[in-house]
């Protein structure tokens, strides 16, 4: 068994070790948090680069023409999710600051490490990659609208485009361009081809590094406001439980294949916490608790993703069986 196969089969163990180390560092060395936080975007960029290397670009070009999946992802994230979030937030106390934090993170679909989680669950990562520009643009346009509807115009007015654009360029566009250059170079150079082959075993370890960096850097924020933010944890857990089921239902109604269905589940449940964190930090006086609320969702979500990368392909959306040589129904 080669290193890549061993890592894929034991990825939960790798992630568990990374999370345990992160908790130990975050709790034991909280003064390191600021330095570690500066590594988040570079690590995410590397994570997306090694993930994109596993996606043949001929399939990625084809994915841009799949209007059914793109439409389903937009509908699920910007029509279904707001309804679910509105329902879940009814159980929160009447605290506007807490509500703003929860809305800020749950109304924005992830555009970065969701691709890697989808790939680890054998979902259609290239289709999800093709959908990220639309997800980024629409959340930028609709987040102020939803905040205005749910909270009021004061918070909606401070939403800026800069964090979204910067995240898309540095975490999506740049790694994607480098992956394309690597793939093109591998066709012409044996050295580049060997480099690409070496990187094939990187996704799981780099995801472990990502988990470590995010948790170790953000845990002190949560610890400092633990008594005030425990109320949001049940809402985040409920979101993790409800959205995969709704994603499975919608994708089944649309007759998608199993890879697309898994991708739709992950885009429906994974949120854009690392991108909206700068927005939370830039909120006016009186909203100092919001960054901790956003970070809490990150910690809950990352724990859930480690589970979902195994549960989605094994239980929720297993690969279709083929009996007696008959084609499975997704091919009809």
């Amino acid at each position: 068994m080669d290193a890549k196969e061993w890592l894929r089969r034991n990825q939960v163990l790798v992630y568990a070790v990374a999370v345990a180390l992160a908790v130990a560092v975050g709790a034991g060395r909280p003064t390191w948090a600021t330095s570690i936080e500066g590594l988040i975007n570079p690590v995410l960029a590397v994570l997306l680069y090694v993930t994109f290397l596993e996606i043949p670009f001929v399939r990625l070009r084809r994915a841009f023409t799949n209007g059914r999946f793109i439409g389903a992802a937009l509908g699920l994230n910007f029509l279904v999710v707001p309804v679910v979030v509105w329902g879940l937030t009814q159980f929160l106390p009447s605290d506007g600051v807490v509500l703003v934090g929860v809305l800020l993170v749950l109304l924005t679909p992830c555009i970065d490490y969701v691709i890697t989680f989808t790939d680890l669950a054998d979902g259609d990562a290239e289709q999800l990659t093709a959908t990220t520009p639309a997800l980024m643009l629409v959340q930028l346009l609709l987040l102020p609208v939803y905040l205005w509807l749910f909270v009021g115009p004061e918070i909606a007015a401070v939403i800026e485009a800069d964090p979204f654009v910067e995240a898309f360029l540095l975490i999506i566009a740049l790694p994607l361009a480098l992956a394309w250059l690597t793939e093109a170079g591998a066709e012409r150079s044996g050295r580049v081809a060997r480099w690409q082959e070496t990187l094939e075993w990187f996704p799981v370890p780099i995801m472990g590094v990502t988990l470590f960096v995010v948790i170790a850097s953000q845990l002190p924020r949560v610890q400092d406001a633990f008594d005030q933010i425990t109320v949001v944890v049940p809402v985040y857990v409920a979101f993790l439980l409800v959205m995969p089921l709704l994603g499975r239902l919608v994708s089944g109604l649309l007759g998608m294949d199993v890879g697309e269905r898994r991708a739709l589940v992950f885009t429906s449940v994974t949120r854009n916490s690392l991108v909206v964190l700068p927005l939370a930090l830039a909120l006016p006086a009186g909203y100092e608790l919001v960054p901790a609320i956003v970070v809490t969702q990150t910690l809950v979500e990352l724990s859930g993703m480690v589970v979902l990368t195994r549960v989605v392909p094994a239980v929720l959306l297993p690969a279709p069986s083929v009996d007696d040589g008959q084609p499975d129904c997704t091919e009809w």
Side-chain angles (χ1 to χ4, degrees):
M1 183 188 303
D2 60 20
K4 179 182 177 182
E5 182 62 24
W6 186 92
L7 286 168
R8 286 187 69 89
R9 291 188 178 185
N10 295 276
Q11 58 186 275
V12 172
L13 173 62
V14 174
Y15 302 153
V17 171
V19 170
L21 289 174
V23 171
V25 171
R29 294 290 187 269
T31 56
W32 294 3
T34 301
S35 298
I36 297 175
E37 186 174 76
L39 299 174
I40 290 178
N41 281 353
V43 167
L44 280 176
V46 174
L47 177 66
L48 269 294
Y49 169 62
V50 297
T51 300
F52 291 149
L53 280 177
E54 296 190 323
I55 302 174
F57 275 78
V58 63
R59 297 211 315 253
L60 185 57
R61 288 195 298 269
R62 188 164 58 244
F64 279 99
T65 66
N66 189 346
R68 179 182 63 171
F69 180 90
I70 295 174
L74 292 174
L76 197 55
N77 277 298
F78 300 111
L79 295 177
V80 176
V81 165
V83 174
V84 172
V85 171
W86 180 85
L88 292 176
T89 54
Q90 301 309 300
F91 297 96
L92 291 174
S94 55
D95 184 331
V97 175
V98 172
L99 181 60
V100 167
V102 172
L103 293 175
L104 195 64
V105 67
L106 290 188
L107 292 173
T108 50
C110 184
I111 60 168
D112 39 59
Y113 57 52
V114 62
I115 298 167
T116 301
F117 284 125
T118 302
D119 185 60
L120 291 173
D122 293 325
D124 197 337
E126 57 264 29
Q127 186 59 70
L128 196 53
T129 301
T131 309
T132 55
L135 291 174
M136 188 275 293
L137 176 62
V138 176
Q139 69 183 272
L140 174 61
L141 295 174
L142 289 186
L143 180 59
V145 175
Y146 285 130
L147 288 176
W148 182 83
L149 289 173
F150 291 170
V151 182
E154 297 83 5
I155 296 302
V158 303
I159 299 301
E160 299 178 355
D162 292 353
F164 292 92
V165 175
E166 180 181 358
F168 181 77
L169 292 177
L170 297 181
I171 301 176
I172 299 293
L174 179 59
L176 188 61
L178 291 176
W180 178 80
L181 290 173
T182 303
E183 185 176 313
E187 296 176 356
R188 300 173 175 83
S189 168
R191 181 178 297 179
V192 178
R194 288 191 295 274
W195 166 255
Q196 183 177 10
E197 184 177 349
T198 300
L199 291 177
E200 289 179 353
W201 64 271
F202 270 50
V204 174
I206 294 298
M207 175 58 75
V209 173
T210 303
L211 292 172
F212 173 83
V213 168
V214 172
I215 294 174
S217 65
Q218 303 305 316
L219 187 62
R221 293 183 191 273
V222 176
Q223 287 180 304
D224 292 343
F226 184 78
D227 293 340
Q228 298 169 279
I229 61 179
T230 52
V231 67
V232 303
V233 173
V235 171
Y236 293 151
V237 172
F239 188 84
L240 276 173
L241 295 173
V242 170
M243 288 314 303
L245 299 177
L246 292 177
R248 182 182 188 277
L249 174 63
V250 171
S251 61
L253 292 174
L254 294 175
M256 294 180 172
D257 64 42
V258 68
E260 291 178 331
R261 297 184 71 183
R262 291 172 182 171
L264 198 64
V265 164
F266 277 96
T267 188
S268 71
V269 73
T270 315
R271 302 291 92 189
N272 217 12
S273 53
L274 300 181
V275 174
V276 299
L277 184 57
L279 295 178
L281 292 169
L283 288 174
Y287 291 89
E288 290 82 2
L289 188 62
V290 172
I293 293 171
V294 170
V295 169
T296 300
Q297 192 277 335
T298 306
L299 303 181
V300 172
E301 177 179 273
L302 289 176
S303 302
M305 288 299 108
V306 172
V307 176
L308 285 176
T309 53
R310 300 298 292 269
V311 170
V312 170
V315 180
L316 191 65
L317 288 167
S321 59
V322 180
D323 297 323
D324 301 323
Q326 296 298 316
D328 92 77
C329 62
T330 62
E331 297 176 350
W332 295 354

